[in-house]
Tab-separated table of all heavy atoms in Angstrom:
chain	number	residue	atom	x	y	z
A	13	MET	N	174.948	97.224	31.261
A	13	MET	CA	175.997	97.947	30.637
A	13	MET	C	175.521	99.095	29.772
A	13	MET	O	176.290	99.988	29.447
A	13	MET	CB	176.909	96.997	29.860
A	13	MET	CG	177.701	96.025	30.695
A	13	MET	SD	178.693	94.863	29.794
A	13	MET	CE	179.799	95.931	28.914
A	14	LEU	N	174.257	99.053	29.347
A	14	LEU	CA	173.739	100.089	28.482
A	14	LEU	C	173.113	101.251	29.231
A	14	LEU	O	172.687	102.211	28.638
A	14	LEU	CB	172.720	99.478	27.545
A	14	LEU	CG	173.291	98.547	26.483
A	14	LEU	CD1	172.153	97.854	25.695
A	14	LEU	CD2	174.205	99.239	25.530
A	15	GLY	N	172.998	101.107	30.512
A	15	GLY	CA	172.435	102.178	31.301
A	15	GLY	C	170.963	102.391	31.106
A	15	GLY	O	170.215	101.403	30.998
A	16	ALA	N	170.536	103.596	31.074
A	16	ALA	CA	169.134	103.960	30.994
A	16	ALA	C	168.436	103.494	29.718
A	16	ALA	O	167.241	103.195	29.725
A	16	ALA	CB	168.939	105.457	31.145
A	17	ILE	N	169.181	103.351	28.639
A	17	ILE	CA	168.546	102.911	27.356
A	17	ILE	C	168.507	101.422	27.226
A	17	ILE	O	167.998	100.906	26.234
A	17	ILE	CB	169.243	103.558	26.167
A	17	ILE	CG1	170.740	103.114	26.070
A	17	ILE	CG2	169.121	105.047	26.167
A	17	ILE	CD1	171.372	103.507	24.760
A	18	GLY	N	169.012	100.688	28.209
A	18	GLY	CA	169.087	99.205	28.131
A	18	GLY	C	167.726	98.581	27.926
A	18	GLY	O	167.592	97.609	27.144
A	19	ALA	N	166.716	99.042	28.608
A	19	ALA	CA	165.402	98.462	28.524
A	19	ALA	C	164.801	98.653	27.118
A	19	ALA	O	164.230	97.712	26.546
A	19	ALA	CB	164.441	99.047	29.556
A	20	SER	N	165.001	99.814	26.566
A	20	SER	CA	164.492	100.092	25.193
A	20	SER	C	165.193	99.223	24.200
A	20	SER	O	164.576	98.676	23.257
A	20	SER	CB	164.654	101.562	24.863
A	20	SER	OG	163.919	102.374	25.732
A	21	ILE	N	166.477	99.127	24.303
A	21	ILE	CA	167.279	98.320	23.369
A	21	ILE	C	166.895	96.856	23.501
A	21	ILE	O	166.727	96.131	22.517
A	21	ILE	CB	168.756	98.557	23.545
A	21	ILE	CG1	169.112	99.976	23.103
A	21	ILE	CG2	169.602	97.532	22.786
A	21	ILE	CD1	170.534	100.397	23.408
A	22	GLY	N	166.761	96.383	24.759
A	22	GLY	CA	166.379	94.993	24.994
A	22	GLY	C	165.039	94.677	24.421
A	22	GLY	O	164.821	93.602	23.856
A	23	TRP	N	164.082	95.612	24.562
A	23	TRP	CA	162.731	95.364	24.069
A	23	TRP	C	162.777	95.274	22.510
A	23	TRP	O	162.156	94.383	21.936
A	23	TRP	CB	161.794	96.479	24.495
A	23	TRP	CG	160.378	96.229	24.038
A	23	TRP	CD1	159.429	95.478	24.645
A	23	TRP	CD2	159.763	96.788	22.854
A	23	TRP	NE1	158.261	95.505	23.925
A	23	TRP	CE2	158.458	96.292	22.832
A	23	TRP	CE3	160.197	97.593	21.839
A	23	TRP	CZ2	157.555	96.606	21.784
A	23	TRP	CZ3	159.317	97.934	20.856
A	23	TRP	CH2	158.012	97.438	20.824
A	24	GLY	N	163.505	96.145	21.898
A	24	GLY	CA	163.623	96.142	20.420
A	24	GLY	C	164.257	94.861	19.901
A	24	GLY	O	163.787	94.229	18.960
A	25	ILE	N	165.315	94.431	20.589
A	25	ILE	CA	165.975	93.192	20.179
A	25	ILE	C	165.039	91.998	20.422
A	25	ILE	O	164.992	91.065	19.610
A	25	ILE	CB	167.315	93.052	20.906
A	25	ILE	CG1	168.296	94.118	20.382
A	25	ILE	CG2	167.886	91.660	20.723
A	25	ILE	CD1	169.592	94.166	21.158
A	26	SER	N	164.320	92.025	21.488
A	26	SER	CA	163.369	90.963	21.811
A	26	SER	C	162.287	90.861	20.723
A	26	SER	O	161.979	89.739	20.249
A	26	SER	CB	162.703	91.229	23.153
A	26	SER	OG	161.673	90.312	23.394
A	27	GLN	N	161.745	91.958	20.303
A	27	GLN	CA	160.705	91.951	19.271
A	27	GLN	C	161.272	91.485	17.939
A	27	GLN	O	160.654	90.679	17.209
A	27	GLN	CB	160.107	93.345	19.084
A	27	GLN	CG	159.329	93.819	20.309
A	27	GLN	CD	158.201	92.886	20.679
A	27	GLN	OE1	157.391	92.491	19.842
A	27	GLN	NE2	158.131	92.503	21.942
A	28	ALA	N	162.471	91.927	17.598
A	28	ALA	CA	163.127	91.463	16.347
A	28	ALA	C	163.357	89.997	16.372
A	28	ALA	O	163.108	89.265	15.366
A	28	ALA	CB	164.428	92.257	16.143
A	29	THR	N	163.787	89.463	17.516
A	29	THR	CA	164.032	88.048	17.653
A	29	THR	C	162.773	87.256	17.483
A	29	THR	O	162.762	86.156	16.865
A	29	THR	CB	164.707	87.748	19.031
A	29	THR	OG1	165.903	88.535	19.123
A	29	THR	CG2	165.024	86.265	19.169
A	30	LYS	N	161.647	87.740	18.020
A	30	LYS	CA	160.405	87.052	17.895
A	30	LYS	C	159.946	86.947	16.435
A	30	LYS	O	159.509	85.899	16.002
A	30	LYS	CB	159.321	87.742	18.711
A	30	LYS	CG	159.460	87.589	20.221
A	30	LYS	CD	158.461	88.427	20.954
A	30	LYS	CE	158.788	88.395	22.421
A	30	LYS	NZ	157.813	89.220	23.204
A	31	VAL	N	160.067	88.039	15.719
A	31	VAL	CA	159.643	88.049	14.311
A	31	VAL	C	160.552	87.138	13.486
A	31	VAL	O	160.050	86.377	12.669
A	31	VAL	CB	159.619	89.495	13.730
A	31	VAL	CG1	159.396	89.478	12.254
A	31	VAL	CG2	158.593	90.339	14.411
A	32	ILE	N	161.852	87.242	13.675
A	32	ILE	CA	162.778	86.412	12.931
A	32	ILE	C	162.579	84.944	13.276
A	32	ILE	O	162.560	84.098	12.370
A	32	ILE	CB	164.248	86.831	13.280
A	32	ILE	CG1	164.507	88.210	12.696
A	32	ILE	CG2	165.244	85.839	12.685
A	32	ILE	CD1	165.785	88.892	13.218
A	33	GLY	N	162.374	84.637	14.541
A	33	GLY	CA	162.096	83.243	14.920
A	33	GLY	C	160.791	82.725	14.331
A	33	GLY	O	160.742	81.563	13.852
A	34	SER	N	159.777	83.526	14.341
A	34	SER	CA	158.466	83.116	13.784
A	34	SER	C	158.589	82.834	12.275
A	34	SER	O	158.077	81.860	11.785
A	34	SER	CB	157.408	84.199	14.033
A	34	SER	OG	157.185	84.336	15.346
A	35	PHE	N	159.276	83.752	11.558
A	35	PHE	CA	159.459	83.533	10.137
A	35	PHE	C	160.270	82.288	9.878
A	35	PHE	O	159.949	81.518	8.973
A	35	PHE	CB	160.138	84.758	9.484
A	35	PHE	CG	160.502	84.508	8.047
A	35	PHE	CD1	159.485	84.479	7.069
A	35	PHE	CD2	161.773	84.294	7.638
A	35	PHE	CE1	159.819	84.236	5.735
A	35	PHE	CE2	162.125	84.042	6.364
A	35	PHE	CZ	161.139	84.026	5.373
A	36	SER	N	161.331	82.104	10.635
A	36	SER	CA	162.197	80.944	10.437
A	36	SER	C	161.449	79.625	10.650
A	36	SER	O	161.570	78.705	9.858
A	36	SER	CB	163.397	80.984	11.395
A	36	SER	OG	164.160	82.146	11.149
A	37	LEU	N	160.675	79.588	11.732
A	37	LEU	CA	159.885	78.364	12.013
A	37	LEU	C	158.865	78.126	10.905
A	37	LEU	O	158.628	76.979	10.485
A	37	LEU	CB	159.214	78.443	13.356
A	37	LEU	CG	160.125	78.243	14.549
A	37	LEU	CD1	159.391	78.509	15.846
A	37	LEU	CD2	160.714	76.862	14.548
A	38	ALA	N	158.204	79.199	10.438
A	38	ALA	CA	157.193	79.035	9.376
A	38	ALA	C	157.851	78.580	8.088
A	38	ALA	O	157.313	77.736	7.386
A	38	ALA	CB	156.471	80.387	9.180
A	39	TYR	N	159.040	79.106	7.815
A	39	TYR	CA	159.735	78.729	6.583
A	39	TYR	C	160.182	77.237	6.658
A	39	TYR	O	159.995	76.480	5.714
A	39	TYR	CB	160.937	79.634	6.389
A	39	TYR	CG	161.558	79.522	5.003
A	39	TYR	CD1	160.969	80.221	3.934
A	39	TYR	CD2	162.673	78.777	4.762
A	39	TYR	CE1	161.512	80.159	2.690
A	39	TYR	CE2	163.245	78.700	3.526
A	39	TYR	CZ	162.650	79.389	2.482
A	39	TYR	OH	163.212	79.324	1.209
A	40	VAL	N	160.734	76.837	7.829
A	40	VAL	CA	161.206	75.483	7.987
A	40	VAL	C	160.015	74.475	7.967
A	40	VAL	O	160.150	73.373	7.406
A	40	VAL	CB	162.036	75.320	9.257
A	40	VAL	CG1	162.326	73.885	9.608
A	40	VAL	CG2	163.367	76.105	9.128
A	41	SER	N	158.916	74.852	8.568
A	41	SER	CA	157.766	73.961	8.667
A	41	SER	C	156.989	73.855	7.338
A	41	SER	O	156.118	73.012	7.218
A	41	SER	CB	156.804	74.409	9.785
A	41	SER	OG	156.153	75.579	9.381
A	42	GLY	N	157.316	74.684	6.387
A	42	GLY	CA	156.692	74.578	5.065
A	42	GLY	C	155.525	75.533	4.853
A	42	GLY	O	154.845	75.467	3.827
A	43	GLU	N	155.276	76.415	5.790
A	43	GLU	CA	154.152	77.360	5.660
A	43	GLU	C	154.360	78.292	4.459
A	43	GLU	O	153.431	78.717	3.814
A	43	GLU	CB	154.042	78.174	6.935
A	43	GLU	CG	152.827	79.117	6.927
A	43	GLU	CD	152.646	79.832	8.218
A	43	GLU	OE1	153.156	79.390	9.282
A	43	GLU	OE2	152.003	80.877	8.247
A	44	TRP	N	155.614	78.557	4.128
A	44	TRP	CA	155.937	79.409	2.999
A	44	TRP	C	156.174	78.636	1.704
A	44	TRP	O	156.557	79.213	0.685
A	44	TRP	CB	157.183	80.301	3.333
A	44	TRP	CG	156.854	81.386	4.275
A	44	TRP	CD1	156.769	81.317	5.613
A	44	TRP	CD2	156.544	82.744	3.871
A	44	TRP	NE1	156.444	82.554	6.106
A	44	TRP	CE2	156.300	83.448	5.076
A	44	TRP	CE3	156.479	83.419	2.680
A	44	TRP	CZ2	155.950	84.758	5.106
A	44	TRP	CZ3	156.114	84.746	2.702
A	44	TRP	CH2	155.879	85.428	3.932
A	45	HIS	N	155.913	77.329	1.722
A	45	HIS	CA	156.081	76.514	0.541
A	45	HIS	C	155.130	76.956	-0.572
A	45	HIS	O	153.947	77.152	-0.335
A	45	HIS	CB	155.827	75.027	0.892
A	45	HIS	CG	155.951	74.134	-0.296
A	45	HIS	ND1	157.191	73.824	-0.825
A	45	HIS	CD2	155.029	73.489	-1.054
A	45	HIS	CE1	156.995	73.015	-1.872
A	45	HIS	NE2	155.697	72.800	-2.028
A	46	GLY	N	155.693	77.196	-1.705
A	46	GLY	CA	154.881	77.594	-2.849
A	46	GLY	C	154.733	79.116	-3.016
A	46	GLY	O	154.184	79.559	-3.981
A	47	VAL	N	155.209	79.851	-1.995
A	47	VAL	CA	155.111	81.288	-2.098
A	47	VAL	C	156.298	81.778	-2.893
A	47	VAL	O	157.443	81.437	-2.631
A	47	VAL	CB	155.133	81.953	-0.674
A	47	VAL	CG1	155.097	83.456	-0.803
A	47	VAL	CG2	153.929	81.459	0.108
A	48	GLU	N	156.023	82.581	-3.896
A	48	GLU	CA	157.059	83.118	-4.743
A	48	GLU	C	156.809	84.598	-4.956
A	48	GLU	O	155.747	85.122	-4.670
A	48	GLU	CB	157.098	82.376	-6.059
A	48	GLU	CG	157.412	80.926	-5.977
A	48	GLU	CD	157.335	80.257	-7.339
A	48	GLU	OE1	157.150	80.900	-8.353
A	48	GLU	OE2	157.519	78.992	-7.373
A	49	GLY	N	157.809	85.267	-5.526
A	49	GLY	CA	157.642	86.630	-5.917
A	49	GLY	C	157.800	87.630	-4.792
A	49	GLY	O	158.522	87.451	-3.805
A	50	LYS	N	157.017	88.674	-4.918
A	50	LYS	CA	157.129	89.882	-4.036
A	50	LYS	C	156.933	89.556	-2.558
A	50	LYS	O	157.673	90.048	-1.712
A	50	LYS	CB	156.133	90.917	-4.504
A	50	LYS	CG	156.352	92.266	-3.879
A	50	LYS	CD	155.451	93.332	-4.487
A	50	LYS	CE	155.745	94.688	-3.895
A	50	LYS	NZ	154.950	95.715	-4.497
A	51	PRO	N	155.938	88.740	-2.150
A	51	PRO	CA	155.787	88.513	-0.689
A	51	PRO	C	157.022	87.883	-0.068
A	51	PRO	O	157.436	88.265	1.035
A	51	PRO	CB	154.600	87.557	-0.604
A	51	PRO	CG	153.827	87.766	-1.860
A	51	PRO	CD	154.847	88.110	-2.913
A	52	LEU	N	157.610	86.928	-0.739
A	52	LEU	CA	158.805	86.274	-0.206
A	52	LEU	C	159.991	87.220	-0.179
A	52	LEU	O	160.738	87.243	0.799
A	52	LEU	CB	159.135	85.026	-1.036
A	52	LEU	CG	160.172	84.082	-0.438
A	52	LEU	CD1	159.768	83.611	0.933
A	52	LEU	CD2	160.411	82.903	-1.350
A	53	VAL	N	160.135	88.001	-1.204
A	53	VAL	CA	161.248	89.002	-1.255
A	53	VAL	C	161.092	90.011	-0.134
A	53	VAL	O	162.046	90.334	0.544
A	53	VAL	CB	161.313	89.675	-2.653
A	53	VAL	CG1	162.278	90.834	-2.636
A	53	VAL	CG2	161.655	88.684	-3.725
A	54	GLN	N	159.858	90.465	0.086
A	54	GLN	CA	159.597	91.450	1.133
A	54	GLN	C	159.879	90.857	2.504
A	54	GLN	O	160.465	91.562	3.367
A	54	GLN	CB	158.200	91.980	1.059
A	54	GLN	CG	157.908	92.891	-0.105
A	54	GLN	CD	156.481	93.350	-0.201
A	54	GLN	OE1	155.580	92.684	0.272
A	54	GLN	NE2	156.276	94.532	-0.790
A	55	MET	N	159.492	89.637	2.726
A	55	MET	CA	159.688	89.029	4.047
A	55	MET	C	161.180	88.805	4.307
A	55	MET	O	161.678	89.051	5.383
A	55	MET	CB	158.931	87.716	4.145
A	55	MET	CG	158.898	87.172	5.538
A	55	MET	SD	158.156	88.349	6.710
A	55	MET	CE	157.811	87.320	8.054
A	56	ARG	N	161.884	88.315	3.287
A	56	ARG	CA	163.352	88.168	3.476
A	56	ARG	C	164.030	89.515	3.710
A	56	ARG	O	164.932	89.615	4.538
A	56	ARG	CB	163.916	87.481	2.256
A	56	ARG	CG	163.590	86.001	2.203
A	56	ARG	CD	164.196	85.342	0.990
A	56	ARG	NE	163.879	83.945	0.972
A	56	ARG	CZ	164.037	83.142	-0.088
A	56	ARG	NH1	164.505	83.639	-1.214
A	56	ARG	NH2	163.721	81.890	-0.021
A	57	ALA	N	163.624	90.547	3.006
A	57	ALA	CA	164.188	91.853	3.174
A	57	ALA	C	163.885	92.382	4.609
A	57	ALA	O	164.783	92.971	5.282
A	57	ALA	CB	163.628	92.868	2.152
A	58	ALA	N	162.694	92.108	5.090
A	58	ALA	CA	162.315	92.552	6.443
A	58	ALA	C	163.161	91.836	7.471
A	58	ALA	O	163.597	92.452	8.456
A	58	ALA	CB	160.837	92.246	6.687
A	59	VAL	N	163.429	90.568	7.292
A	59	VAL	CA	164.263	89.830	8.244
A	59	VAL	C	165.691	90.372	8.202
A	59	VAL	O	166.298	90.549	9.300
A	59	VAL	CB	164.242	88.299	7.903
A	59	VAL	CG1	165.329	87.560	8.678
A	59	VAL	CG2	162.880	87.750	8.225
A	60	ILE	N	166.199	90.688	7.052
A	60	ILE	CA	167.561	91.246	6.962
A	60	ILE	C	167.628	92.608	7.688
A	60	ILE	O	168.535	92.885	8.442
A	60	ILE	CB	168.030	91.358	5.486
A	60	ILE	CG1	168.273	89.957	4.913
A	60	ILE	CG2	169.258	92.225	5.378
A	60	ILE	CD1	168.419	89.922	3.445
A	61	ILE	N	166.609	93.399	7.458
A	61	ILE	CA	166.532	94.735	8.101
A	61	ILE	C	166.472	94.570	9.649
A	61	ILE	O	167.103	95.299	10.367
A	61	ILE	CB	165.401	95.583	7.558
A	61	ILE	CG1	165.651	95.994	6.107
A	61	ILE	CG2	165.119	96.795	8.414
A	61	ILE	CD1	164.473	96.539	5.374
A	62	LEU	N	165.661	93.596	10.092
A	62	LEU	CA	165.541	93.383	11.517
A	62	LEU	C	166.870	92.925	12.128
A	62	LEU	O	167.240	93.332	13.241
A	62	LEU	CB	164.462	92.364	11.820
A	62	LEU	CG	163.042	92.846	11.749
A	62	LEU	CD1	162.044	91.698	11.819
A	62	LEU	CD2	162.767	93.903	12.818
A	63	ILE	N	167.579	92.059	11.391
A	63	ILE	CA	168.899	91.622	11.917
A	63	ILE	C	169.858	92.806	12.009
A	63	ILE	O	170.546	92.961	13.034
A	63	ILE	CB	169.461	90.510	10.998
A	63	ILE	CG1	168.618	89.232	11.193
A	63	ILE	CG2	170.933	90.227	11.354
A	63	ILE	CD1	168.949	88.142	10.165
A	64	LEU	N	169.880	93.606	10.945
A	64	LEU	CA	170.748	94.790	11.012
A	64	LEU	C	170.345	95.765	12.118
A	64	LEU	O	171.190	96.311	12.813
A	64	LEU	CB	170.746	95.500	9.657
A	64	LEU	CG	171.363	94.720	8.468
A	64	LEU	CD1	171.167	95.466	7.169
A	64	LEU	CD2	172.817	94.487	8.747
A	65	ALA	N	169.023	95.950	12.275
A	65	ALA	CA	168.577	96.855	13.353
A	65	ALA	C	168.954	96.312	14.712
A	65	ALA	O	169.349	97.087	15.598
A	65	ALA	CB	167.088	97.041	13.225
A	66	ALA	N	168.822	94.982	14.905
A	66	ALA	CA	169.193	94.391	16.205
A	66	ALA	C	170.691	94.597	16.456
A	66	ALA	O	171.093	94.875	17.604
A	66	ALA	CB	168.834	92.934	16.231
A	67	LEU	N	171.495	94.449	15.443
A	67	LEU	CA	172.937	94.704	15.632
A	67	LEU	C	173.241	96.094	15.989
A	67	LEU	O	174.044	96.396	16.846
A	67	LEU	CB	173.690	94.251	14.314
A	67	LEU	CG	173.712	92.778	14.020
A	67	LEU	CD1	174.330	92.553	12.639
A	67	LEU	CD2	174.497	92.041	15.096
A	68	VAL	N	172.577	97.051	15.304
A	68	VAL	CA	172.774	98.437	15.624
A	68	VAL	C	172.336	98.762	17.051
A	68	VAL	O	173.056	99.435	17.786
A	68	VAL	CB	172.027	99.358	14.618
A	68	VAL	CG1	172.026	100.796	15.104
A	68	VAL	CG2	172.678	99.253	13.243
A	69	MET	N	171.227	98.182	17.461
A	69	MET	CA	170.766	98.403	18.827
A	69	MET	C	171.690	97.777	19.854
A	69	MET	O	171.975	98.347	20.896
A	69	MET	CB	169.321	97.865	19.030
A	69	MET	CG	168.267	98.685	18.369
A	69	MET	SD	166.599	98.156	18.754
A	69	MET	CE	166.480	96.676	17.720
A	70	ALA	N	172.215	96.588	19.514
A	70	ALA	CA	173.112	95.897	20.456
A	70	ALA	C	174.391	96.698	20.681
A	70	ALA	O	174.941	96.707	21.768
A	70	ALA	CB	173.411	94.494	19.938
A	71	TYR	N	174.867	97.338	19.634
A	71	TYR	CA	176.081	98.110	19.758
A	71	TYR	C	175.810	99.610	19.814
A	71	TYR	O	176.733	100.406	19.601
A	71	TYR	CB	176.997	97.772	18.577
A	71	TYR	CG	177.481	96.343	18.594
A	71	TYR	CD1	176.942	95.428	17.712
A	71	TYR	CD2	178.403	95.946	19.526
A	71	TYR	CE1	177.390	94.091	17.736
A	71	TYR	CE2	178.811	94.622	19.568
A	71	TYR	CZ	178.314	93.693	18.691
A	71	TYR	OH	178.726	92.422	18.717
A	72	GLY	N	174.597	99.988	20.106
A	72	GLY	CA	174.216	101.388	20.122
A	72	GLY	C	175.051	102.272	21.017
A	72	GLY	O	175.429	103.385	20.666
A	73	LYS	N	175.330	101.826	22.208
A	73	LYS	CA	176.106	102.629	23.144
A	73	LYS	C	177.528	102.822	22.643
A	73	LYS	O	178.111	103.860	22.802
A	73	LYS	CB	176.077	102.010	24.520
A	73	LYS	CG	176.664	102.937	25.586
A	73	LYS	CD	176.371	102.452	26.944
A	73	LYS	CE	176.885	103.493	27.928
A	73	LYS	NZ	176.529	103.183	29.296
A	74	THR	N	178.065	101.791	21.991
A	74	THR	CA	179.398	101.882	21.426
A	74	THR	C	179.471	102.931	20.316
A	74	THR	O	180.353	103.754	20.231
A	74	THR	CB	179.845	100.519	20.842
A	74	THR	OG1	179.764	99.581	21.884
A	74	THR	CG2	181.235	100.623	20.326
A	75	PHE	N	178.418	102.972	19.497
A	75	PHE	CA	178.357	103.950	18.384
A	75	PHE	C	178.210	105.367	18.910
A	75	PHE	O	178.666	106.305	18.306
A	75	PHE	CB	177.238	103.623	17.394
A	75	PHE	CG	177.458	102.355	16.645
A	75	PHE	CD1	176.356	101.575	16.267
A	75	PHE	CD2	178.723	101.909	16.287
A	75	PHE	CE1	176.560	100.402	15.574
A	75	PHE	CE2	178.915	100.762	15.574
A	75	PHE	CZ	177.814	99.998	15.210
A	76	CYS	N	177.487	105.525	20.041
A	76	CYS	CA	177.274	106.842	20.588
A	76	CYS	C	178.534	107.421	21.210
A	76	CYS	O	178.666	108.638	21.412
A	76	CYS	CB	176.153	106.847	21.648
A	76	CYS	SG	174.551	106.429	20.967
A	77	GLY	N	179.441	106.560	21.553
A	77	GLY	CA	180.680	107.006	22.191
A	77	GLY	C	180.513	107.393	23.667
A	77	GLY	O	181.396	108.017	24.250
A	78	THR	N	179.417	106.959	24.267
A	78	THR	CA	179.248	107.283	25.679
A	78	THR	C	179.379	106.121	26.567
A	78	THR	O	179.280	105.004	26.149
A	78	THR	CB	177.836	107.917	25.959
A	78	THR	OG1	176.855	106.994	25.550
A	78	THR	CG2	177.719	109.235	25.283
């Protein structure tokens, strides 16, 4: 449904999903236990940005109006 840009959008969403999934599994498994301050804030911010970027990519064709 996205036409020629579908592969690029799919690749971006795939990469974002991998990073979000990796962080989630690491967080749940306790790898981030004891981490406080700036590193944790930066990682959470990065995950939020990736989620927003994936949403924008998913609806990219709608936003373009084509």
Side-chain angles (χ1 to χ4, degrees):
M13 291 178 61
L14 292 173
I17 62 170
S20 297
I21 291 172
W23 183 82
I25 291 173
S26 173
Q27 294 302 310
T29 304
K30 290 175 187 178
V31 172
I32 292 167
S34 296
F35 173 73
S36 299
L37 285 173
Y39 194 80
V40 169
S41 71
E43 185 176 337
W44 283 83
H45 179 73
V47 177
E48 296 178 4
K50 192 173 182 178
L52 190 58
V53 171
Q54 287 178 335
M55 190 59 164
R56 286 180 179 167
V59 168
I60 290 169
I61 291 169
L62 283 171
I63 290 169
L64 293 174
L67 290 173
V68 169
M69 286 186 286
Y71 295 107
K73 190 167 185 175
T74 304
F75 293 146
C76 295
T78 59

